[in-house]
Amino acid sequence: MATRLLIRDYPHRAIAISTGSHVLVFRYTETGRNEARNGHSSVSTGAAAAEPKCMVEFVANDDTDLALYRNLSPQPIQGTLGLITINNDVFLCIVSGSSKVATVRPGETVQRIHSVEFYCLNRTDYDYTANDDAGQTHSDDTSLDGYEHGTDHRREPPVEHPCLALKKLLSGGTFYYSTDFDLTNRLQDRSPDASAFDIENVDDDFLWNSYMIGPLLKFRSRLGPAERTTLDSSQILTSVIRGFVLTINIPLASSPLRTTVSGLPSNLTLISRLSCRRAGTRFNARGIDDDGNVANFVESETIFWTPGGQCFSYCQIRGSVPIFWEQATNLLPGQQKITVSRSSEATQPAFDKHFDGLQTYGAIHIVNLLSQSKPGEAEITKRYQSHVRRSPLTTKNGSGNSDRSLLHETDYDFHAETKGPAGYEAASAIKNLIEGSVEGFAYYLLEDVDETLPVTSKGPKKIRRSIPVLQQEGVFRTNCLDCLDRTNLVQTNTSQMVLATFLSSRGEKGGPDFWMRHGSLWADNGDSLSKIYAGTGALKSSFTRHGKMSFAGALADVRKSAARMYINNFSDKGRQNTIDLLLGRLMGQIAVHLFDPISDYVSAEMKKRSKEYSSTKQISVWAGTLNLNGKTIGLKHDLSSWLCPKVNSAYQDPDIVVVGFQEIVELSPQHIMSTDHTVRKMWEKVVKRTLNENARENGKEEYVFLRGGQLVGAALAVYVKSSILGDIKNVEGNVKKTGMSGIAGNKGAVAIRMEYANTSFCFVTAHLAAGFANYEERNRDYWTISKGLHFQRNRSIEDHDTILWLGDFNYRIGLSDDNVRSLIRAGDIEKLYDNDQLNLQMVAGISFPHYSESRITFLPTYKYDLGTDWYDTSEKARIPAWCDRILRKGDNIRQIDYNTAPLKFSDHRPVYATFSCTISIVDEAVKMSLSNEIYEKRRNVVRGNTANTTQDDTDDEDLIGYESIAPGLPPASSDKRKWWLDNGQSAVAIVRPPSDRHIRNPRKPGNPFTPTNEPDWITIEKPDSPPPSTRTSGPPQPPPTRSTKGVPRSLEDSATSSRRFSRSKPPAPPSPSRRLSQSSQPATENRPQSLSSSVKSQAPPIPRKPVTLRSPSTENKSFPRVSTAPSPPPPRRSTPSSSKSTSGLTRAPVQTSFPPPPKKVNSGDAAKISKSQSGDRILLLDDSDDVGPPLPQRKATNTKALIDQDDGDENGDLSTWIPLRPR
């Protein structure tokens, strides 16, 4: 099913890429934008900025309601290049149009992009913006950024898409991708048996959409294995290179290699990969940077495939001169001044770093085509030569021996050599200068072979796979000033020279039609690379295409030169900005952060609970090493004493057998330059036969040859039981040369890595530098191998769970020959081992750090007279030593045996070791079940608020930033979620007391972080309602005792302050200014006590019985001891001038505003209260020292309703009393 691009507008804008079974959903979140607006950004770019955040989800179609989506693109899409931010808007880049341009091998196709679209995730403004000129056809007057230079561009579209420049750049026909294989790596760096596309193995140096695709790759890495495999198979994620790719079919009649397969043409392919590290236009990107990256660095690979099963590959590189230099633009040709911007001392570190990065190609031969007569180019050449001489790759330890250097230089003044009548044809003379390196570097060659798998229940099965036959051991680095015209012509000749060497080895040669097609392919390559860097096609392309220079070709070169001058002066700046935008290098440019709230959580939880779905298994491993001394006589000997030793029965039947050989062939110059695999295959068969014969004798399972490798004399072979083949995967091999400073393979290492279940293994056999005193060189050889040998996905030796080193390490015993031999006769192995060079280097941590070796209990293994047990008796009298060793590293491996075997056909004794190893086995079914369980639980917590949610009230802050920012800290909070609330509780809650008898503890601190022992609630025991007041005689009775259990002390004290005051505080003397008339029988009011916080203390008592005023509405009500209602203000006492009664009672006027607080009356004033002039009695209330704020005025009530029938005065007439009125 075709891949579709869908969009959903409500409730949240979401864009989805739908395949036949799954859908990848994107949704923008406003969190990042809000942070920028609020100035809470962690990125300072001069203005408020924040990392744009998008939610992403990869789910099955069954879990998505696609009915809510509509088509956003009318045609199916080919993939996505990633996400990019422009003007605070996030855009998704989609490949909308492409065409097939190459078929490298059957099943390996390459597509060229000719149309892309950008869709905004957070705005609808650009959904229907037209861009008709993004996919226009380009001529020499049209640069590949989409602009026609020399035309009037003053008219702009009404609404210009922010990504218009990027659209034109990506749609220019210089970007390529493949969904079948890794296009960023050369054929030699890819596994010959794994042509399937693996996006984890891409080379970032040539991945032009690394900035945009990076967030998606991080999201992919967080998915589970099943989801990751499904996403890869959907081919949604696209890795893109820039440069040139084209395949030309060679008809059977023109193909130099005839095959028995009739009618199938051969394929001649050229792939040029332009590095994105220092990408730019001609005068904006020159020289080198501090990271060792050079401008216009291109890796060009010629691939020739035939139906007969041969696949030839040869790689060359080009790049700007690796020093710091600049060149200014100028309208006059030849007047662009060259300036060297740094001193030699400041340049050398970057220069060395550049060539260190090229060590993956092997030895390097520089071909410098700069002119010796032009001052600027001559100065650059002089500096170039100076840095080459000082490079550590040029000589070994400063010996000056050029034959042992990894870096050679050939200066060839192209203009001077081609100035004569022969013209550009004279450039072919450079072949005489480089033919030595051509033969030494060789080429990469694959051949298809038929193999038979082990016998199964269905019988033997034959398969056909590709096996590497030759490896390219070096590379030519060609440069001129621009690395365009002259460089392309010389590289064409070099490619033709190497391809002719390959055909010659097959007894064939190419015809005129074949070489014409080859030249045309390289001419197209030169034009494409020149348009990218300089804006026009390459000069001299007419000669490259046809083999001669025509008048029309010369006129075309003049026209191209004029166009270059205009483009470089007026348009390159805009083109450079667009390139920097694509690569994420503009100032303040921020990458998009993709957040998956469910998958991120599931991945973390699965790591924590790994023991629930994984188990362990004990296996045994046998490893052995033998230096054959270049002899093949051992092929006729019985090897069972070495391969099948008499050890503990549990380890006599190992699951894995690792065999390492050194000097499997004589280390002659012929063998060093060309590896002979014949002898290695003979030894592999002998080893397998010995193992299986022993297995049959003991009724054990037979072995299968897994993989082998060879580097001249060093060879490694791995055998496994046929029953465990299904658990072994990702088997890879590689070699590393260390002989003659890395040029020769007489010394070096062969490594094979694999994965058994979920445990990774790496086996290394090494032959290090010889010589008694060369232990430092042996140390360097170790570090060269350890750091320089890499597998797929850039895995090194140290990136494995279990590592075994075995081989002839050549470390000696640091004693004299006589002392060593005497100690051997005495059997003092311990003293010998104390002086062993490897032991001393390992203890010091100089070599093989963190590796372990079992205790040596056997005699030195080198050097014996052939066929005897006597150590070397020749004139050289080699000192006996433990040259042959086996070392281990890993927490899951334990060594059992370590010994030698009595084989005497070599001057070395074979060494073997047995190991017990614990491997991890993951039950994928249980793991998937647990993953689904955690996923569903997390989904319920998130409540469907993912990128695919249909809810319109979601808060993105509840999803983004769910994880803590640092270990030990809780996740961030939002308006709906607080980190101190668990289980999805709401952040806004109504707190209710446990019962109606509880109130909040006022002593509880308001700050939840303050340490306290106070409870949250306290209990109040409410008594039954008291009976109504009745008139009684006798002295006043104290109020009934009420329980204060659970009441805070402050409330209890407030409630009883009046009683305590009357008992403890002595009466104060009366104030003369506040004396009042005292009646003969004064009375007081007994009011309900209030415990409101507004009343600080009660009034002092008077020596009279209280008289309580109650209204009818409160007469029969109970008044609890604890109350939160404030007390009514006490009535003030009447004076003769303020009231005069004629009816016995005087009503207080209605107040229209809050009365002022009453004045204080001391308890001593009560004795001096006199009777008023009218004879009325004054009702004196029990006042307090501090009176709280007054309440609003109540309406006047009947006086009789205010007078309480009290039992305090039996003889008194209450009809003559009036209530005290406030003023």
Side-chain angles (χ1 to χ4, degrees):
M1 183 177 179
T3 304
R4 298 184 299 157
L5 185 66
L6 309 174
I7 187 172
R8 187 190 67 200
D9 300 310
Y10 182 83
H12 300 281
R13 178 178 172 89
I15 296 179
I17 301 175
S18 175
T19 63
S21 59
H22 284 69
V23 61
L24 185 65
V25 184
F26 299 90
R27 182 161 71 87
Y28 178 79
T29 174
E30 292 287 341
T31 303
R33 176 171 294 185
N34 293 338
E35 290 176 356
R37 291 173 181 171
N38 298 332
H40 298 299
S41 172
S42 60
V43 180
S44 178
T45 59
E51 184 181 52
K53 296 179 180 179
C54 291
M55 298 175 60
V56 62
E57 185 179 14
F58 185 67
V59 295
N61 286 341
D62 296 338
D63 297 332
T64 306
D65 188 2
L66 295 180
L68 300 176
Y69 291 81
R70 59 180 174 84
N71 284 327
L72 185 57
S73 175
Q75 300 294 332
I77 64 173
Q78 277 72 50
T80 176
L81 302 185
L83 296 159
I84 194 169
T85 305
I86 301 178
N87 299 331
N88 293 327
D89 295 324
V90 180
F91 293 89
L92 176 67
C93 183
I94 297 297
V95 180
S96 55
S98 63
S99 58
K100 187 177 75 171
V101 294
T103 301
V104 180
R105 294 186 294 176
E108 296 182 355
T109 61
V110 180
Q111 308 286 326
R112 179 172 62 188
I113 298 174
H114 58 71
S115 177
V116 299
E117 296 294 337
F118 286 84
Y119 294 98
C120 188
L121 294 182
N122 57 300
R123 296 178 62 180
T124 61
D125 305 29
Y126 310 115
D127 286 355
Y128 306 101
T129 302
N131 184 23
D132 298 333
D133 53 350
Q136 58 183 298
T137 302
H138 302 280
S139 63
D140 285 341
D141 290 331
T142 305
S143 73
L144 292 178
D145 62 352
Y147 292 100
E148 280 193 21
H149 305 284
T151 58
D152 187 4
H153 288 286
R154 288 176 295 180
R155 301 182 65 185
E156 296 182 356
V159 178
E160 182 174 310
H161 199 288
C163 304
L164 179 61
L166 283 177
K167 286 183 180 181
K168 294 179 178 180
L169 177 66
L170 293 170
S171 303
T174 60
F175 290 88
Y176 302 84
Y177 72 93
S178 175
T179 58
D180 303 321
F181 69 103
D182 180 11
L183 190 56
T184 64
N185 279 298
R186 57 177 178 163
L187 186 61
Q188 181 169 328
D189 293 335
R190 294 191 280 123
S191 173
D193 297 328
S195 60
F197 171 68
D198 185 0
I199 201 167
E200 289 185 354
N201 195 34
V202 294
D203 188 343
D204 290 337
D205 290 345
F206 302 109
L207 184 64
W208 272 72
N209 63 325
S210 60
Y211 173 73
M212 294 195 299
I213 203 70
L216 288 174
L217 294 181
K218 291 181 180 179
F219 163 73
R220 174 190 174 278
S221 66
R222 298 193 297 262
L223 295 176
E227 291 83 359
R228 191 182 308 127
T229 302
T230 304
L231 180 61
D232 291 344
S233 61
S234 69
Q235 300 179 350
I236 293 177
L237 306 183
T238 306
S239 58
V240 173
I241 70 167
R242 193 181 192 194
F244 174 78
V245 182
L246 185 63
T247 292
I248 294 180
N249 293 328
I250 308 298
L252 185 62
S254 301
S255 177
L257 293 181
R258 304 294 191 272
T259 63
T260 58
V261 182
S262 60
L264 294 179
S266 302
N267 292 337
L268 182 62
T269 305
L270 180 58
I271 302 176
S272 287
R273 307 172 181 91
L274 176 63
S275 173
C276 60
R277 295 300 187 187
R278 188 166 168 77
T281 55
R282 185 183 182 192
F283 289 102
N284 291 288
R286 291 289 205 190
I288 195 173
D289 63 14
D290 289 296
D291 294 324
N293 303 310
V294 296
N296 201 23
F297 182 84
V298 182
E299 178 187 88
S300 298
E301 182 181 14
T302 305
I303 303 174
F304 181 53
W305 175 85
T306 66
Q310 296 85 20
C311 187
F312 161 92
S313 169
Y314 190 76
C315 183
Q316 302 178 72
I317 58 176
R318 68 175 75 180
S320 186
V321 177
I323 63 174
F324 292 94
W325 64 281
E326 302 170 354
Q327 188 176 19
T329 59
N330 197 299
L331 292 175
L332 298 178
Q335 298 300 314
Q336 295 89 356
K337 183 179 179 181
I338 296 176
T339 303
V340 178
S341 57
R342 288 198 191 181
S343 64
S344 297
E345 294 76 10
T347 302
Q348 192 67 41
F351 182 91
D352 295 339
K353 190 179 295 184
H354 170 69
F355 283 99
D356 286 343
L358 300 183
Q359 287 299 293
T360 55
Y361 297 103
I364 306 166
H365 190 139
I366 299 171
V367 179
N368 179 26
L369 306 177
L370 292 177
S371 173
Q372 300 295 329
S373 58
K374 295 182 179 180
E377 295 188 17
E379 181 183 3
I380 291 178
T381 298
K382 183 178 179 181
R383 290 287 299 272
Y384 199 176
Q385 294 171 344
S386 173
H387 288 295
V388 169
R389 287 193 299 268
R390 288 185 290 173
S391 172
L393 302 177
T394 302
T395 59
K396 176 184 177 183
N397 298 331
S399 63
N401 188 352
S402 61
D403 293 336
R404 307 185 67 180
S405 65
L406 287 171
L407 191 61
H408 295 270
E409 182 184 16
T410 297
D411 294 317
Y412 185 80
D413 189 341
F414 183 89
H415 287 156
E417 297 293 337
T418 59
K419 188 175 289 185
Y424 294 142
E425 294 181 4
S428 60
I430 198 175
K431 296 179 180 180
N432 300 326
L433 302 177
I434 64 175
E435 60 182 356
S437 294
V438 168
E439 295 178 0
F441 293 165
Y443 45 83
Y444 183 67
L445 181 62
L446 287 173
E447 288 188 357
D448 292 345
V449 296
D450 294 326
E451 290 189 351
T452 301
L453 294 181
V455 179
T456 61
S457 59
K458 298 182 180 180
K461 179 181 179 182
K462 292 186 177 181
I463 61 172
R464 188 174 180 86
R465 65 171 183 168
S466 298
I467 295 180
V469 177
L470 284 177
Q471 297 269 351
Q472 182 178 344
E473 306 294 347
V475 68
F476 286 100
R477 187 195 189 279
T478 310
N479 71 269
C480 55
L481 194 65
D482 298 324
C483 303
L484 296 176
D485 315 317
R486 292 172 278 180
T487 297
N488 195 72
L489 195 152
V490 171
Q491 285 193 336
T492 303
N493 292 336
T494 305
S495 174
Q496 180 177 347
M497 187 177 179
V498 178
L499 189 54
T501 302
F502 161 66
L503 296 176
S504 177
S505 67
R506 301 282 169 167
E508 302 288 347
K509 63 179 181 179
D513 182 70
F514 177 78
W515 295 121
M516 185 191 69
R517 295 173 187 271
H518 175 270
S520 177
L521 191 63
W522 273 93
D524 292 339
N525 173 72
D527 286 339
S528 180
L529 296 179
S530 180
K531 288 177 182 179
I532 294 173
Y533 191 58
T536 68
L539 307 181
K540 309 173 183 64
S541 61
S542 176
F543 178 83
T544 306
R545 195 179 304 275
H546 305 291
K548 60 181 180 179
M549 193 67 181
S550 63
F551 179 74
L555 289 179
D557 287 351
V558 173
R559 183 171 62 88
K560 293 174 184 178
S561 298
R564 282 186 183 183
M565 178 193 64
Y566 177 85
I567 294 172
N568 298 156
N569 281 275
F570 300 105
S571 301
D572 276 357
K573 184 177 180 180
R575 296 171 62 216
Q576 184 70 51
N577 288 338
T578 305
I579 293 172
D580 291 338
L581 176 64
L582 174 65
L583 299 176
R585 298 174 181 172
L586 292 180
M587 185 65 179
Q589 196 171 357
I590 305 173
V592 179
H593 172 72
L594 289 180
F595 178 77
D596 181 8
I598 300 180
S599 296
D600 289 1
Y601 179 83
V602 172
S603 298
E605 286 297 309
M606 291 296 290
K607 291 180 180 179
K608 297 177 183 177
R609 303 172 62 177
S610 59
K611 294 183 178 180
E612 299 182 28
Y613 55 83
S614 62
S615 60
T616 59
K617 175 184 176 181
Q618 294 293 327
I619 66 169
S620 59
V621 179
W622 182 98
T625 177
L626 172 59
N627 187 313
L628 295 171
N629 195 25
K631 309 298 182 181
T632 58
I633 189 175
L635 293 170
K636 300 179 181 180
H637 282 66
D638 182 12
L639 305 179
S640 59
S641 61
W642 175 46
L643 299 175
C644 309
K646 301 300 181 180
V647 295
N648 188 299
S649 58
Y651 304 99
Q652 287 184 355
D653 183 34
D655 298 275
I656 302 174
V657 174
V658 183
V659 183
F661 294 108
Q662 301 81 45
E663 297 187 35
I664 198 171
V665 296
E666 292 184 2
L667 301 182
S668 63
Q670 180 182 359
H671 285 142
I672 292 175
M673 299 304 298
S674 178
T675 302
D676 183 7
H677 299 275
T678 304
V679 179
R680 172 177 65 89
K681 293 181 179 179
M682 294 170 60
W683 278 104
E684 289 172 352
K685 292 180 180 178
V686 170
V687 171
K688 181 179 179 182
R689 183 179 67 243
T690 303
L691 292 174
N692 288 336
E693 287 177 354
N694 181 76
R696 286 191 292 268
E697 291 177 0
N698 295 279
K700 301 296 184 178
E701 187 179 355
E702 295 187 5
Y703 292 89
V704 177
F705 175 67
L706 184 64
R707 179 166 180 142
Q710 182 179 354
L711 173 65
V712 187
L716 182 65
V718 178
Y719 303 83
V720 298
K721 291 182 178 178
S722 56
S723 61
I724 67 173
L725 276 176
D727 296 326
I728 295 178
K729 56 186 177 180
N730 297 329
V731 182
E732 303 174 28
N734 206 349
V735 299
K736 184 64 178 178
K737 295 180 180 180
T738 60
M740 298 176 63
S741 298
I743 294 179
N746 61 316
K747 295 294 187 289
V750 181
I752 295 176
R753 61 95 50 198
M754 69 179 194
E755 294 175 11
Y756 185 172
N758 297 96
T759 302
S760 58
F761 289 84
C762 183
F763 309 113
V764 185
T765 185
H767 194 187
L768 306 184
F772 179 85
N774 291 338
Y775 63 91
E776 292 184 351
E777 187 173 351
R778 289 188 278 273
N779 295 341
R780 286 194 295 269
D781 286 350
Y782 160 74
W783 287 110
T784 299
I785 297 169
S786 179
K787 293 184 177 180
L789 197 152
H790 290 83
F791 302 97
Q792 297 291 319
R793 304 182 183 178
N794 201 32
R795 280 186 287 241
S796 67
I797 295 176
E798 300 299 321
D799 295 332
H800 294 81
D801 301 321
T802 307
I803 307 171
L804 290 181
W805 280 70
L806 54 147
D808 182 0
F809 298 160
N810 263 321
Y811 285 93
R812 309 304 171 91
I813 298 175
L815 298 174
S816 66
D817 183 56
D818 293 338
N819 288 337
V820 172
R821 292 175 187 262
S822 62
L823 290 173
I824 291 176
R825 288 191 294 268
D828 194 350
I829 294 179
E830 184 175 353
K831 188 172 182 180
L832 290 172
Y833 187 70
D834 290 341
N835 292 274
D836 177 69
Q837 291 178 349
L838 179 58
N839 176 39
L840 296 175
Q841 299 302 306
M842 292 178 64
V843 170
I846 300 175
S847 183
F848 293 95
H850 310 296
Y851 281 84
S852 300
E853 182 184 31
S854 287
R855 181 180 179 182
I856 294 180
T857 59
F858 48 87
L859 297 177
T861 60
Y862 173 85
K863 174 183 182 180
Y864 289 90
D865 291 337
L866 294 180
T868 70
D869 291 329
W870 296 97
Y871 286 103
D872 188 15
T873 58
S874 66
E875 294 181 359
K876 295 183 178 180
R878 299 289 201 282
I879 302 176
W882 287 296
C883 291
D884 309 280
R885 312 290 275 269
I886 300 177
L887 307 180
R888 71 184 187 275
K889 182 178 180 181
D891 297 332
N892 62 330
I893 189 170
R894 180 172 58 92
Q895 188 162 347
I896 308 299
D897 298 290
Y898 196 24
N899 211 334
T900 61
L903 299 180
K904 304 177 182 180
F905 56 79
S906 173
D907 58 353
H908 290 252
R909 288 292 184 263
V911 177
Y912 68 87
T914 59
F915 303 90
S916 175
C917 186
T918 304
I919 63 170
S920 175
I921 302 176
V922 175
D923 189 329
E924 296 296 338
V926 176
K927 182 179 180 180
M928 181 61 65
S929 175
L930 179 62
S931 177
N932 293 336
E933 178 185 347
I934 299 175
Y935 186 93
E936 293 301 326
K937 289 182 179 180
R938 183 61 172 178
R939 198 176 203 177
N940 295 333
V941 172
V942 178
R943 297 186 179 93
N945 297 338
T946 62
N948 193 38
T949 182
T950 58
Q951 302 178 13
D952 58 356
D953 60 345
T954 60
D955 185 2
D956 293 332
E957 292 184 357
D958 290 336
L959 305 176
I960 296 177
Y962 230 97
E963 301 300 329
S964 60
I965 61 175
L969 295 180
S973 302
S974 68
D975 291 339
K976 294 186 177 181
R977 177 177 48 80
K978 302 297 183 184
W979 59 262
W980 57 86
L981 296 177
D982 298 327
N983 302 321
Q985 295 182 6
S986 174
V988 179
I990 300 176
V991 182
R992 296 182 175 88
S995 67
D996 57 355
R997 302 181 67 86
H998 290 78
I999 65 171
R1000 187 179 65 84
N1001 185 358
R1003 290 185 177 273
K1004 177 80 173 180
N1007 187 347
F1009 300 98
T1010 302
T1012 180
N1013 294 325
E1014 290 288 343
D1016 294 330
W1017 305 95
I1018 56 175
T1019 304
I1020 299 177
E1021 296 182 2
K1022 297 183 178 181
D1024 298 334
S1025 300
S1029 299
T1030 56
R1031 292 178 61 87
T1032 59
S1033 61
Q1037 300 295 326
T1041 302
R1042 302 183 182 183
S1043 173
T1044 59
K1045 179 180 180 182
V1047 181
R1049 185 173 183 85
S1050 59
L1051 300 181
E1052 181 184 359
D1053 294 345
S1054 176
T1056 59
S1057 60
S1058 177
R1059 296 197 310 273
R1060 292 201 315 269
F1061 185 87
S1062 62
R1063 296 189 184 107
S1064 60
K1065 189 175 181 180
S1071 175
S1073 60
R1074 299 182 61 186
R1075 293 176 182 173
L1076 298 176
S1077 299
Q1078 182 178 7
S1079 62
S1080 59
Q1081 289 181 329
T1084 61
E1085 179 187 8
N1086 184 15
R1087 297 175 299 166
Q1089 300 296 322
S1090 172
L1091 299 182
S1092 172
S1093 59
S1094 62
V1095 180
K1096 297 182 179 179
S1097 61
Q1098 298 296 330
I1102 59 175
R1104 304 293 298 175
K1105 293 179 291 185
V1107 177
T1108 302
L1109 300 182
R1110 289 191 181 95
S1111 63
S1113 61
T1114 62
E1115 186 172 354
N1116 294 325
K1117 290 184 179 180
S1118 62
F1119 295 91
R1121 185 79 175 178
V1122 179
S1123 173
T1124 58
S1127 303
R1132 299 184 66 84
R1133 291 166 291 198
S1134 63
T1135 60
S1137 60
S1138 61
S1139 61
K1140 201 170 210 176
S1141 177
T1142 57
S1143 60
L1145 290 174
T1146 303
R1147 247 169 81 174
V1150 177
Q1151 297 292 327
T1152 59
S1153 61
F1154 293 158
K1159 295 181 179 180
K1160 295 182 179 180
V1161 179
N1162 296 328
S1163 58
D1165 293 341
K1168 297 185 179 181
I1169 297 178
S1170 60
K1171 189 177 181 180
S1172 62
Q1173 295 179 3
S1174 60
D1176 296 334
R1177 294 182 179 180
I1178 301 296
L1179 179 61
L1180 180 61
L1181 299 180
D1182 185 13
D1183 204 351
S1184 62
D1185 292 337
D1186 297 318
V1187 181
L1191 293 177
Q1193 178 65 41
R1194 295 179 296 175
K1195 292 182 180 181
T1197 57
N1198 191 311
T1199 304
K1200 294 185 179 296
L1202 297 176
I1203 300 177
D1204 188 5
Q1205 302 298 323
D1206 189 59
D1207 58 357
D1209 189 1
E1210 297 179 359
N1211 300 325
D1213 185 7
L1214 293 179
S1215 62
T1216 60
W1217 291 74
I1218 61 173
L1220 183 63
R1221 294 178 300 177
R1223 296 177 182 176

